Amino acid sequence: MPPKSKKQKTQHSTCSENTQTSSTTDTNANSSSDNAAPVLSKYFPPPSTSPQDFPAKFLEIEAKQTDKLLSLDYGEGITHVYNPLDYASEIHADFVSKFCQGTKKVLMMGMNPGPWGMGQTGVPFGHVKYAKEWLGVTGSVKRPEKEHPKRPIQGLECPKSEVSGDRLWSLLKELSGSPDILFRHVFLHNYCPLFFLKESAKNVTPPELKVKQRTGLEEACDEALVDTVKLLQVEHVICVGNYVTDRTRKAFDKAGITNIEISLLMHPSPVNPAANKGWREIAIKQLTESKVIQYFKPEA
């Protein structure tokens, strides 16, 4: 029953950069060519970052955010704090190095890792099958500093998966056809990189934390979100679920950001009754109405 999570500096392993195949008409310039320069968003001044530096800068923002979060007291009810950016750092860094090589028009953002998704793989909504077979990420995992016996970390060998991740990645694969197409203009991220467990192994999401404990978390995550959209020159944030939508609006209001579009995407969790009644069709409708669905498709 730790009154405070042990501060553990997040470290990411170094991954070799992978050159992505892109069309000559691609206007988002995610190529890793030495001569390539990102086509910048009209919303922010030019970043002082070369295309090759985007993964490193992105991981720096996450490390700073995680260090702040691990210094906070989450109360007696939270007995285990999992940080997949640490114990799954190899896989996470491989994901970022492969697919975050430049500016992005769209940031699709979830709330925080689930025990059988990103909690295992270090990939947002990280369904093991899609992470290994479709995204092609690789890497080993370590044991968390304090591991709950009912929530063991097995990384890409985990036999379990989450319905949310299956639904989301299935749709993304259907729309784009390949990771190279998907990540030309889109990147996936989480508002909070940690997940929290009670002694019973019950998962506690950020909005379920007590207000006192949640305040510090939201301050750190709001700041990291603003830094992220500035780095990636994001023009539209697709928020998966109501909590993320609310926090994104508040973070942007506080930072004085008024020219980035914010849209809601229904959360695919089976806990949400509406998501069990045709989530795919609802999601396609929402992405179409938000006028971003073209960025997920080959013709974008």
PDB file of all heavy atoms in Angstrom, residues 200-214:
ATOM      1  N   SER A 200      -7.183  -5.862  -5.777  1.00  0.00           N
ATOM      2  CA  SER A 200      -7.971  -6.922  -6.404  1.00  0.00           C
ATOM      3  C   SER A 200      -7.618  -7.121  -7.876  1.00  0.00           C
ATOM      4  O   SER A 200      -8.148  -8.019  -8.524  1.00  0.00           O
ATOM      5  CB  SER A 200      -9.452  -6.587  -6.297  1.00  0.00           C
ATOM      6  OG  SER A 200      -9.738  -5.390  -7.016  1.00  0.00           O
ATOM      7  N   ALA A 201      -6.762  -6.268  -8.420  1.00  0.00           N
ATOM      8  CA  ALA A 201      -6.380  -6.229  -9.836  1.00  0.00           C
ATOM      9  C   ALA A 201      -7.395  -5.490 -10.690  1.00  0.00           C
ATOM     10  O   ALA A 201      -7.284  -5.474 -11.916  1.00  0.00           O
ATOM     11  CB  ALA A 201      -6.120  -7.620 -10.401  1.00  0.00           C
ATOM     12  N   LYS A 202      -8.363  -4.856 -10.067  1.00  0.00           N
ATOM     13  CA  LYS A 202      -9.315  -4.044 -10.822  1.00  0.00           C
ATOM     14  C   LYS A 202      -8.601  -2.845 -11.439  1.00  0.00           C
ATOM     15  O   LYS A 202      -7.857  -2.135 -10.766  1.00  0.00           O
ATOM     16  CB  LYS A 202     -10.455  -3.551  -9.928  1.00  0.00           C
ATOM     17  CG  LYS A 202     -11.496  -2.719 -10.666  1.00  0.00           C
ATOM     18  CD  LYS A 202     -12.552  -2.180  -9.718  1.00  0.00           C
ATOM     19  CE  LYS A 202     -13.625  -1.401 -10.476  1.00  0.00           C
ATOM     20  NZ  LYS A 202     -13.101  -0.238 -11.198  1.00  0.00           N
ATOM     21  N   ASN A 203      -8.855  -2.623 -12.704  1.00  0.00           N
ATOM     22  CA  ASN A 203      -8.267  -1.494 -13.414  1.00  0.00           C
ATOM     23  C   ASN A 203      -8.984  -0.206 -13.024  1.00  0.00           C
ATOM     24  O   ASN A 203     -10.220  -0.156 -13.001  1.00  0.00           O
ATOM     25  CB  ASN A 203      -8.381  -1.735 -14.924  1.00  0.00           C
ATOM     26  CG  ASN A 203      -7.675  -0.671 -15.720  1.00  0.00           C
ATOM     27  OD1 ASN A 203      -6.582  -0.238 -15.382  1.00  0.00           O
ATOM     28  ND2 ASN A 203      -8.300  -0.233 -16.812  1.00  0.00           N
ATOM     29  N   VAL A 204      -8.224   0.825 -12.716  1.00  0.00           N
ATOM     30  CA  VAL A 204      -8.794   2.124 -12.345  1.00  0.00           C
ATOM     31  C   VAL A 204      -8.360   3.133 -13.402  1.00  0.00           C
ATOM     32  O   VAL A 204      -7.164   3.392 -13.574  1.00  0.00           O
ATOM     33  CB  VAL A 204      -8.305   2.579 -10.953  1.00  0.00           C
ATOM     34  CG1 VAL A 204      -8.913   3.945 -10.595  1.00  0.00           C
ATOM     35  CG2 VAL A 204      -8.675   1.545  -9.898  1.00  0.00           C
ATOM     36  N   THR A 205      -9.308   3.692 -14.115  1.00  0.00           N
ATOM     37  CA  THR A 205      -8.990   4.650 -15.175  1.00  0.00           C
ATOM     38  C   THR A 205      -8.779   6.042 -14.567  1.00  0.00           C
ATOM     39  O   THR A 205      -9.227   6.316 -13.445  1.00  0.00           O
ATOM     40  CB  THR A 205     -10.124   4.714 -16.202  1.00  0.00           C
ATOM     41  OG1 THR A 205     -11.322   5.176 -15.568  1.00  0.00           O
ATOM     42  CG2 THR A 205     -10.366   3.342 -16.825  1.00  0.00           C
ATOM     43  N   PRO A 206      -8.106   6.945 -15.278  1.00  0.00           N
ATOM     44  CA  PRO A 206      -7.859   8.290 -14.737  1.00  0.00           C
ATOM     45  C   PRO A 206      -9.102   9.007 -14.209  1.00  0.00           C
ATOM     46  O   PRO A 206      -9.044   9.577 -13.116  1.00  0.00           O
ATOM     47  CB  PRO A 206      -7.222   9.024 -15.923  1.00  0.00           C
ATOM     48  CG  PRO A 206      -6.463   7.947 -16.616  1.00  0.00           C
ATOM     49  CD  PRO A 206      -7.344   6.733 -16.528  1.00  0.00           C
ATOM     50  N   PRO A 207     -10.240   9.005 -14.912  1.00  0.00           N
ATOM     51  CA  PRO A 207     -11.401   9.710 -14.356  1.00  0.00           C
ATOM     52  C   PRO A 207     -11.983   9.052 -13.103  1.00  0.00           C
ATOM     53  O   PRO A 207     -12.766   9.677 -12.389  1.00  0.00           O
ATOM     54  CB  PRO A 207     -12.429   9.703 -15.500  1.00  0.00           C
ATOM     55  CG  PRO A 207     -12.008   8.592 -16.394  1.00  0.00           C
ATOM     56  CD  PRO A 207     -10.513   8.535 -16.288  1.00  0.00           C
ATOM     57  N   GLU A 208     -11.572   7.806 -12.835  1.00  0.00           N
ATOM     58  CA  GLU A 208     -12.044   7.122 -11.636  1.00  0.00           C
ATOM     59  C   GLU A 208     -11.179   7.414 -10.417  1.00  0.00           C
ATOM     60  O   GLU A 208     -11.557   7.053  -9.298  1.00  0.00           O
ATOM     61  CB  GLU A 208     -12.103   5.614 -11.876  1.00  0.00           C
ATOM     62  CG  GLU A 208     -13.146   5.198 -12.907  1.00  0.00           C
ATOM     63  CD  GLU A 208     -13.080   3.722 -13.266  1.00  0.00           C
ATOM     64  OE1 GLU A 208     -11.956   3.161 -13.264  1.00  0.00           O
ATOM     65  OE2 GLU A 208     -14.131   3.133 -13.543  1.00  0.00           O
ATOM     66  N   LEU A 209     -10.035   8.047 -10.621  1.00  0.00           N
ATOM     67  CA  LEU A 209      -9.209   8.457  -9.492  1.00  0.00           C
ATOM     68  C   LEU A 209      -9.913   9.562  -8.715  1.00  0.00           C
ATOM     69  O   LEU A 209     -10.727  10.301  -9.262  1.00  0.00           O
ATOM     70  CB  LEU A 209      -7.855   8.978  -9.993  1.00  0.00           C
ATOM     71  CG  LEU A 209      -6.915   7.969 -10.651  1.00  0.00           C
ATOM     72  CD1 LEU A 209      -5.747   8.707 -11.309  1.00  0.00           C
ATOM     73  CD2 LEU A 209      -6.400   6.959  -9.637  1.00  0.00           C
ATOM     74  N   LYS A 210      -9.584   9.682  -7.447  1.00  0.00           N
ATOM     75  CA  LYS A 210     -10.149  10.765  -6.649  1.00  0.00           C
ATOM     76  C   LYS A 210      -9.637  12.104  -7.174  1.00  0.00           C
ATOM     77  O   LYS A 210      -8.539  12.196  -7.725  1.00  0.00           O
ATOM     78  CB  LYS A 210      -9.783  10.580  -5.179  1.00  0.00           C
ATOM     79  CG  LYS A 210     -10.418   9.334  -4.544  1.00  0.00           C
ATOM     80  CD  LYS A 210     -10.034   9.198  -3.087  1.00  0.00           C
ATOM     81  CE  LYS A 210     -10.677   7.955  -2.470  1.00  0.00           C
ATOM     82  NZ  LYS A 210     -10.295   7.783  -1.040  1.00  0.00           N
ATOM     83  N   VAL A 211     -10.441  13.130  -6.995  1.00  0.00           N
ATOM     84  CA  VAL A 211     -10.126  14.441  -7.560  1.00  0.00           C
ATOM     85  C   VAL A 211      -8.737  14.909  -7.156  1.00  0.00           C
ATOM     86  O   VAL A 211      -7.967  15.425  -7.981  1.00  0.00           O
ATOM     87  CB  VAL A 211     -11.188  15.479  -7.135  1.00  0.00           C
ATOM     88  CG1 VAL A 211     -10.787  16.874  -7.614  1.00  0.00           C
ATOM     89  CG2 VAL A 211     -12.548  15.102  -7.708  1.00  0.00           C
ATOM     90  N   LYS A 212      -8.373  14.722  -5.897  1.00  0.00           N
ATOM     91  CA  LYS A 212      -7.086  15.183  -5.400  1.00  0.00           C
ATOM     92  C   LYS A 212      -5.946  14.515  -6.169  1.00  0.00           C
ATOM     93  O   LYS A 212      -4.953  15.168  -6.524  1.00  0.00           O
ATOM     94  CB  LYS A 212      -6.960  14.887  -3.911  1.00  0.00           C
ATOM     95  CG  LYS A 212      -5.657  15.367  -3.294  1.00  0.00           C
ATOM     96  CD  LYS A 212      -5.618  15.069  -1.793  1.00  0.00           C
ATOM     97  CE  LYS A 212      -4.297  15.527  -1.171  1.00  0.00           C
ATOM     98  NZ  LYS A 212      -4.246  15.216   0.283  1.00  0.00           N
ATOM     99  N   GLN A 213      -6.059  13.216  -6.407  1.00  0.00           N
ATOM    100  CA  GLN A 213      -5.008  12.495  -7.114  1.00  0.00           C
ATOM    101  C   GLN A 213      -5.056  12.775  -8.616  1.00  0.00           C
ATOM    102  O   GLN A 213      -4.026  12.768  -9.292  1.00  0.00           O
ATOM    103  CB  GLN A 213      -5.141  10.985  -6.875  1.00  0.00           C
ATOM    104  CG  GLN A 213      -4.636  10.506  -5.535  1.00  0.00           C
ATOM    105  CD  GLN A 213      -5.561  10.874  -4.388  1.00  0.00           C
ATOM    106  OE1 GLN A 213      -6.776  10.780  -4.524  1.00  0.00           O
ATOM    107  NE2 GLN A 213      -5.000  11.286  -3.255  1.00  0.00           N
ATOM    108  N   ARG A 214      -6.254  13.011  -9.117  1.00  0.00           N
ATOM    109  CA  ARG A 214      -6.415  13.211 -10.561  1.00  0.00           C
ATOM    110  C   ARG A 214      -5.883  14.569 -11.019  1.00  0.00           C
ATOM    111  O   ARG A 214      -5.439  14.712 -12.163  1.00  0.00           O
ATOM    112  CB  ARG A 214      -7.898  13.087 -10.916  1.00  0.00           C
ATOM    113  CG  ARG A 214      -8.158  12.892 -12.399  1.00  0.00           C
ATOM    114  CD  ARG A 214      -9.613  12.552 -12.659  1.00  0.00           C
ATOM    115  NE  ARG A 214     -10.504  13.661 -12.382  1.00  0.00           N
ATOM    116  CZ  ARG A 214     -11.549  13.613 -11.586  1.00  0.00           C
ATOM    117  NH1 ARG A 214     -11.824  12.494 -10.925  1.00  0.00           N
ATOM    118  NH2 ARG A 214     -12.331  14.668 -11.412  1.00  0.00           N
TER     119      ARG A 214
END
